[in-house]
Amino acid sequence: MTPPFAARRARLLEAIGPRTAAVFVATPTAIRNNDVEHEFRQDSDVFYLTGFDEPETVIVLAPNGRLKDDSGESRPVTLTMFVRPKDPEREVWDGFRWGVDGAKQSFGADAAFNIDELGKRLPELLARHDAVVYRWGNKAFDDRLFGAIQYARRTAGRSGIAAPTRIIDPVEVLYEHRLRKSPDEVAKMRRACSITNEGHRRAMETASPGRYEFELEAVLLETFRRHGSERPAYGSIVGSGPNATVLHYRRNDRRIEDGDLVLIDAGCEYGYYASDVTRTFPANGKFTDVQRAVYQAVLDSQLACIAMVKPGVTQGEIHDKAVEVLTERLVKLGVLSGDVKELIKKEAYKPFYMHKTGHWLGMDVHDVGSYFLPTSDGTGKHRPLEPGMVITIEPGLYFGIGAEAAPEALRGIGIRIEDDILVTEDGYENLTAAIPKSVEEIERVCARA
Ligand code: GLY
Ligand code: MN
Ligand code: MN
């Protein structure tokens, strides 16, 4: 299969036109403590456009780019890569690097330089362009880019050569491309979802009172890696008992008790594509009546939301459906009382359902792409789904142990159910449908001898 990177760059160049350049920067490396670094994971844009996975990399796409060579001759370049140079001594310690020649020979760069030359070369590359596609927010690099633009303005400007006067956020161009997944990308996401299926099943089978949350986390990670996933797509959440009500719980260090529900929000990354799945199940294999009632409320809202998915529907409408079903059920559960429509208007559900119902999914777990289309008054309106988009649907109900507004029997119960949904021409495909979800299926997989 031909690597997709050159075609992606061509598509971006076509979209931005001949007078706009684009600059993308590798994820900065970060110290964890003393001389230990956090694991490096390439920036999704850099990988999407080049497949290059080394740190300290900057890529410049410059449709009107020219660079002087050693003889002073100026020649056109479109893709220039700034990379770590070959360094036999460092490579003994840290492993292979592609270096400058590798960037040209194996990654399609028209020119490549040691990253140390960025300051010197960037103004020359940005000259002859009116705008630069760049996502600001990387403080250290923002200053470098603005410095290079200023330099290009001072030098090129005086001779009549254009220099950029505008920064364009990639959300306007590149993220429209990343938002709609190609068949190759969907294939990677399918694989990620299928590995995640096995991880969740094995975690359900392993969980039992007396075991620790981290044992389930270990089962997930072991399953992901064994099947060739590079890493989890985000920090796995394994929350038992009251920890299931903590939305971003990450300690995963509690002993699981009899009668607990366990909420696992975990998904692997495969080939740079994320899966993002939540399941909630009884540690001893059997829901109590109260747990089952809350579980069924969340499940019914999730199923109603999934059934809506098709081109033209918006994530706003899906969220409204989740809120509607959950509010009705909160009344049935005796948590809220009054007219459902009024309760929704007053956002009475918010103490128990405080997050949105889903997000884009792709190379990033909270994937890029705008959720709204612009309106003339600047408020934006929810954008309709299109084939090839992938979203999560993940309603939940959370009754913290201190939630005095909830009946005592519900306190300490947290439930979320999350699937990954591909929008198709005439509806949807649930990429994580194989992961146990109905009460019966969950109780079967979790059954204890
Ligand atoms: N795992 C992050 C999320 O569900 O959005
Ligand atoms: Mn999610
Ligand atoms: Mn999740």
Side-chain angles (χ1 to χ4, degrees):
M1 195 163 51
T2 327
F5 309 111
R8 291 176 183 167
R9 291 195 297 273
R11 188 170 175 213
L12 177 61
L13 286 166
E14 170 80 25
I16 62 181
R19 298 284 295 258
T20 299
V23 176
F24 299 97
V25 184
T27 312
T29 53
I31 293 291
R32 201 195 72 171
N33 56 294
N34 194 12
D35 57 355
V36 179
E37 287 189 349
H38 280 285
E39 183 205 4
F40 174 77
R41 193 272 194 190
Q42 185 59 285
D43 171 78
S44 297
D45 294 337
V46 172
F47 195 86
Y48 182 82
L49 292 168
T50 62
F52 194 72
D53 68 358
E54 293 187 15
E56 298 181 72
T57 301
V58 174
I59 65 169
V60 182
L61 272 169
N64 236 0
R66 298 192 78 84
L67 279 175
K68 282 201 185 75
D69 61 21
D70 292 340
S71 67
E73 278 291 303
S74 168
R75 67 180 180 96
V77 289
T78 306
L79 173 63
T80 304
M81 291 175 66
F82 295 89
V83 301
R84 299 183 309 184
K86 292 292 286 179
D87 182 339
E89 200 182 320
R90 281 304 334 155
E91 288 180 52
V92 168
W93 291 86
D94 300 329
F96 176 81
R97 301 174 171 193
W98 285 100
V100 166
D101 290 334
K104 285 190 281 197
Q105 282 153 19
S106 302
F107 293 88
D110 303 308
F113 299 99
N114 182 333
I115 183 73
D116 290 345
E117 289 193 44
L118 180 73
K120 187 171 127 202
R121 304 276 180 182
L122 195 52
E124 199 182 345
L125 284 168
L126 297 181
R128 299 176 188 80
H129 298 90
D130 304 323
V132 183
V133 174
Y134 171 69
R135 172 142 274 204
W136 63 83
N138 169 349
K139 269 271 166 218
F141 198 82
D142 292 353
D143 288 348
R144 299 194 75 177
L145 181 73
F146 297 150
I149 290 175
Q150 220 165 14
Y151 189 87
R153 250 186 239 164
R154 273 207 305 271
T155 52
R158 240 177 274 140
S159 53
I161 297 171
T165 54
R166 283 180 298 125
I167 303 286
I168 299 172
D169 193 275
V171 78
E172 294 181 30
V173 277
L174 184 68
Y175 297 168
E176 286 296 300
H177 301 170
R178 280 184 52 191
L179 198 47
R180 300 170 183 89
K181 275 69 182 173
S182 69
D184 292 357
E185 292 179 291
V186 171
K188 293 222 169 65
M189 295 186 79
R190 265 186 223 292
R191 179 87 182 116
C193 289
S194 128
I195 297 170
T196 295
N197 172 23
E198 185 172 333
H200 274 268
R201 282 176 179 273
R202 286 199 49 223
M204 284 179 195
E205 285 159 10
T206 307
S208 61
R211 301 201 83 149
Y212 282 82
E213 292 166 348
F214 50 71
E215 295 182 68
L216 308 189
E217 182 181 11
V219 164
L220 290 157
L221 295 181
E222 192 268 342
T223 310
F224 294 172
R225 281 303 274 153
R226 191 158 43 78
H227 290 287
S229 147
E230 302 86 353
R231 54 183 80 79
Y234 52 92
S236 309
I237 296 170
V238 182
S240 62
N243 292 338
T245 66
V246 180
L247 297 181
H248 288 165
Y249 177 69
R250 281 291 292 119
R251 297 185 72 89
N252 299 352
D253 61 356
R254 180 178 173 275
R255 184 178 186 272
I256 299 167
E257 301 298 336
D258 196 19
D260 280 353
L261 289 178
V262 181
L263 181 154
I264 295 185
D265 183 347
C268 78
E269 180 175 303
Y270 182 82
Y272 272 83
Y273 287 83
S275 53
D276 180 9
V277 174
T278 308
R279 289 293 185 264
T280 311
F281 55 90
N284 64 15
K286 204 101 190 110
F287 286 100
T288 64
D289 290 345
V290 172
Q291 289 169 346
R292 188 180 306 108
V294 182
Y295 186 87
Q296 198 61 50
V298 177
L299 181 58
D300 288 347
S301 79
Q302 205 235 11
L303 294 174
C305 290
I306 293 175
M308 291 172 69
V309 176
K310 63 177 181 192
V313 169
T314 70
Q315 292 197 67
E317 290 164 337
I318 293 172
H319 180 65
D320 289 347
K321 174 57 81 178
V323 164
E324 183 192 315
V325 177
L326 291 174
T327 306
E328 275 168 24
R329 297 311 175 87
L330 284 167
V331 171
K332 286 215 177 98
L333 289 164
V335 180
L336 299 177
S337 60
D339 175 64
V340 170
K341 281 208 172 72
E342 276 304 307
L343 291 168
I344 293 172
K345 209 151 74 197
K346 285 196 307 207
E347 300 188 331
Y349 57 85
K350 272 245 169 110
F352 316 107
Y353 183 46
M354 58 297 276
H355 58 77
K356 289 286 184 206
T357 304
H359 50 83
W360 304 128
L361 183 71
M363 296 183 81
D364 297 309
V365 62
H366 295 162
D367 206 26
V368 294
S370 66
Y371 287 88
F372 292 87
L373 295 177
T375 53
S376 55
D377 67 357
T379 55
K381 59 171 194 234
H382 285 287
R383 77 183 294 165
L385 296 175
E386 294 171 42
M389 292 174 169
V390 182
I391 59 171
T392 66
I393 295 193
E394 50 178 306
L397 283 175
Y398 312 91
F399 305 98
I401 32 176
E404 283 173 17
E408 209 168 331
L410 297 185
R411 293 183 206 160
I413 291 181
I415 291 169
R416 178 165 62 256
I417 307 174
E418 176 174 28
D419 281 307
D420 300 346
I421 311 293
L422 167 70
V423 185
T424 60
E425 292 294 334
D426 51 5
Y428 69 89
E429 179 186 338
N430 182 349
L431 301 176
T432 46
I435 309 179
K437 190 164 74 167
S438 68
V439 166
E440 300 70 34
E441 228 185 327
I442 295 244
E443 289 191 340
R444 195 164 56 242
V445 176
C446 294
R448 307 286 163 247

